[in-house]
């Protein structure tokens, strides 16, 4: 890892700093199990609720200058929820919506039920829930703010590999809901969608999952559905790379009302598991440029080794293929770095198909046009992984700044 131009990766930090928290949680769970073993083997459906919060680690604070869910280690379960403002929406519609959501999200993240919650018990089990609110290009139009919309808050250019399907269009709003428990995600999603009506209408939901279940198995890498270790090379999230991630943290002034926000690009990428099944292991490793077992570059020993792009084999061919995914995705300029937080999906296949699998590719960056687009353009031009992967949807959103005490989300933008 030393000498890596991208700085320490997030998983390494997790293994060191955050591992301590993980062990704490694990020990807590083991403690509960030990107590239970000495007691009569009777449990009650209300045990979890009665037990109350399992500790601060299970509740992420909602209030602050920046929203959660950007630089936090991604929780294992997620829903990405696309909504549109109703026809005729105004700035007042946007204000009222964010007022309702601010209160509901503060409660949900604090393991307290929103006021209108008919299943309050579902809200009361802390599970590191984070809800991140982001807005699409249409939000600025409705709010009469088109003039101050950042130039990057627009659909990405169309790439030659894109095969968009109509089910997941760009929306005016996006909720990213993540938690350690799928129950918490489903409950928060329902409350926030119901709570938003009629100020916003649901368009689509994309669900994802990822390992490790951080509390029980800290330090395990995330592997996507191709079995690849995914998330090795990332900008460190210790503050050193704030200008790459957060708006207003670098030289450029933040766009109006978005200081301490970010941008979120989501790409739904179908993975053709059936043709991948026919590919031998060496070709699979060649396509990405890394080993499948350890995630190490093909020229290295361990995951954190730097790839040696000049290395050649006995026939003089590059060991790391010129069209391999990592070689094509590497930054060609210092600003071409993004914080990836992808989730796998594995939905029910349509009749006659065996799989409906892929990656919800999610990236945070201060400016998608300068940081994300050049990488995606290179990958569209040549990337061996394109043989088995197809982007079927794409969206660009501005992550709102956090809500300070007494303030609603989007307060400065909508003032
Ligand atoms: C299904 C689609 C994709 C899969 C399965 C995939 C998988 C991977 C894997 C296994 C790695 C190597 C380990 C790592 O550093 O995380 C990687 C690296 C990377 N990927 Fe992807 N990826 C996909 C799509 C994308 C897209 C759409 C982008 C951006 C446009 C992207 C950007 C990157 C970057 C920036 C790296 C790090 C490159 C480096 O500096 O070494 N990937 N990806």
């Amino acid at each position: 890892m030393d000498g890596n131009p991208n700085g320490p990766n997030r998983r390494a930090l997790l293994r060191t700093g955050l591992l301590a928290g993980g062990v704490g949680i694990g020990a807590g769970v083991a403690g509960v199990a030990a107590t239970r073993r000495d007691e009569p083997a009777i449990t009650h459906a209300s045990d979890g609720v009665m037990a109350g919060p399992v500790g601060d680690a299970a509740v992420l604070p909602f209030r602050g200058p920046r929203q959660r869910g950007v630089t936090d280690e991604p929780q294992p379960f997620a829903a990405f929820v696309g909504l549109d403002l109703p026809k005729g929406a105004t700035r007042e519609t946007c204000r009222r919506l964010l007022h309702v959501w601010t209160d509901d999200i503060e409660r949900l993240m604090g393991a307290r039920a929103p006021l209108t919650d008919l299943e309050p018990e579902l809200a009361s089990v802390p599970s590191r829930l984070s809800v991140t609110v982001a807005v699409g290009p249409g939000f600025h139009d409705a709010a009469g703010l088109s003039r101050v919309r950042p130039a990057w808050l627009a659909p990405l250019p169309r790439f030659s590999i894109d095969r968009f399907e109509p089910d997941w269009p760009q929306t005016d709003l996006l909720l990213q809901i993540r938690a350690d428990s799928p129950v918490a995600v489903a409950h928060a999603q329902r409350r926030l969608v119901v709570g938003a009506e009629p100020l916003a209408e649901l368009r689509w939901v994309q669900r994802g999952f990822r390992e490790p279940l951080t509390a029980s198995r800290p330090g395990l890498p995330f592997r996507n559905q191709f079995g690849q270790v995914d998330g090795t090379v990332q900008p460190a999230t210790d503050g050193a790379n704030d200008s790459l991630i957060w708006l207003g943290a670098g030289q450029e002034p933040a766009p109006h009302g978005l200081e301490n926000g970010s941008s979120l690009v989501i790409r739904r990428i179908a993975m053709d598991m059936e043709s991948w099944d026919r590919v031998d292991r060496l070709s699979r490793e060649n396509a990405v440029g890394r080993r499948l077992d350890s995630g190490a570059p093909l020229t290295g020993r361990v995951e954190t080794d730097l790839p040696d792009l000049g290395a050649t084999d006995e026939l003089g061919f590059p060991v790391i293929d010129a069209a391999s995914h990592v070689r094509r995705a590497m930054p060609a300029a210092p600003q071409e770095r993004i914080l990836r937080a992808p989730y796998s999906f594995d939905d029910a296949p349509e009749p006659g198909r065996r799989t409906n699998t892929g990656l919800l590719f999610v990236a945070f960056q201060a400016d998608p046009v300068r940081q994300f687009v050049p990488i995606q353009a290179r990958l569209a031009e040549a990337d061996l992984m394109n043989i088995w992967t197809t982007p079927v949807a794409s969206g660009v959103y501005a992550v709102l700044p956090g809500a300070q005490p007494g303030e609603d989300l989007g307060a400065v933008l909508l003032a």
Side-chain angles (χ1 to χ4, degrees):
M1 192 167 64
D2 288 343
N4 181 341
N6 291 311
N9 73 72
R10 302 170 66 214
R11 195 157 42 246
L13 290 174
L14 182 76
R15 281 199 195 104
T16 52
L18 295 185
L19 187 61
V23 169
I25 295 168
V29 172
V32 171
T35 320
R36 291 258 165 85
R37 226 173 283 131
D38 304 335
E39 290 171 355
I42 300 171
T43 53
H44 304 280
S46 62
D47 276 1
V49 176
M50 302 303 285
V54 292
D56 290 348
V59 171
L60 300 178
F62 166 70
R63 296 276 171 191
R66 292 171 176 165
Q67 288 197 79
R68 305 306 297 244
V70 177
T71 49
D72 297 307
E73 186 67 20
Q75 301 91 317
F77 300 97
F80 295 85
V81 184
L83 305 100
D84 278 334
L85 293 162
K87 272 204 177 62
T90 61
R91 191 176 302 190
E92 190 51 26
T93 318
C94 301
R95 271 202 205 105
R96 284 169 55 204
L97 172 68
L98 291 175
H99 181 65
V100 173
W101 272 352
T102 299
D103 190 57
D104 286 355
I105 294 170
E106 180 167 28
R107 287 168 189 274
L108 285 163
M109 284 178 60
R112 291 178 298 129
L115 291 175
T116 55
D117 201 337
L118 298 175
E119 294 87 24
E121 292 79 5
L122 293 181
S124 68
V125 184
S127 52
R128 285 201 313 139
L129 175 75
S130 65
V131 180
T132 315
V133 180
V135 302
F139 185 89
H140 276 68
D141 293 335
L145 292 167
S146 317
R147 225 171 28 85
V148 293
R149 178 177 42 219
W152 50 255
L153 187 50
L156 296 177
R158 208 48 190 252
F159 298 99
S160 56
I161 50 173
D162 294 348
R163 300 283 179 274
F164 292 161
E165 296 172 4
D167 300 7
W168 308 278
Q170 170 77 55
T171 51
D172 298 335
L173 296 147
L174 179 81
L175 294 174
Q176 175 194 253
I177 307 173
R178 313 194 310 200
D180 287 349
S181 147
V183 177
V185 171
H187 180 65
Q189 176 195 314
R190 193 170 117 72
R191 288 295 10 127
L192 294 171
V193 168
V194 172
E197 286 165 358
L199 304 170
E201 295 159 5
L202 178 66
R203 258 316 144 251
W204 46 254
V205 177
Q206 303 190 52
R207 289 247 167 88
F209 58 89
R210 52 182 287 143
E211 286 204 292
L213 297 172
T214 38
S216 58
R217 292 192 280 167
L220 263 192
F222 165 57
R223 286 181 185 271
N224 61 41
Q225 293 295 284
F226 282 165
Q228 302 158 333
V229 175
D230 196 339
T232 301
V233 178
Q234 295 267 48
T237 52
D238 55 3
N241 293 297
D242 275 7
S243 61
L244 289 174
I245 301 166
W246 299 106
L247 295 168
Q251 304 281 311
E252 294 287 307
H256 172 79
L258 292 177
E259 178 148 17
N260 281 319
S262 184
S263 82
L264 184 160
V265 171
I266 178 167
R267 309 263 295 165
R268 184 179 181 87
I269 303 179
M271 298 184 2
D272 184 347
M273 304 307 288
E274 285 157 46
S275 61
W276 181 252
D277 279 349
R278 294 192 288 273
V279 181
D280 64 77
R281 203 162 166 98
L282 278 182
S283 311
R284 289 175 173 204
E285 293 186 329
N286 188 54
V288 70
R290 287 181 172 268
R291 289 185 210 289
L292 287 168
D293 53 1
S294 59
L298 293 180
T299 52
R301 259 183 337 99
V302 294
E303 186 190 346
T304 47
D305 283 344
L306 284 181
D308 177 357
L309 299 181
T312 48
D313 64 16
E314 57 284 2
L315 298 173
F317 290 112
V319 178
I320 299 185
D321 198 295
S324 64
H325 181 70
V326 290
R327 191 153 184 158
R328 299 294 297 171
M330 267 174 205
Q335 77 278 3
E336 290 179 14
R337 292 164 64 200
I338 55 179
L339 182 62
R340 293 172 288 141
Y343 281 83
S344 292
F345 67 86
D346 187 41
D347 294 345
E350 285 173 10
R353 299 296 306 269
R354 271 157 64 205
T355 57
N356 181 1
T357 300
L359 195 72
L360 299 179
F361 181 90
V362 176
F364 298 100
Q365 54 279 299
D367 184 337
V369 171
R370 292 184 71 236
Q371 296 171 243
F372 178 91
V373 170
I375 305 172
Q376 181 63 88
R378 266 200 308 281
L379 294 178
E381 197 182 77
D383 172 8
L384 287 170
M385 297 257 290
N386 291 341
I387 300 171
W388 309 280
T389 62
T390 311
V392 295
S394 174
V396 179
Y397 298 89
V399 175
L400 295 176
Q404 297 284 21
E407 205 183 75
D408 286 340
L409 285 163
V412 180
L413 182 63
L414 298 175

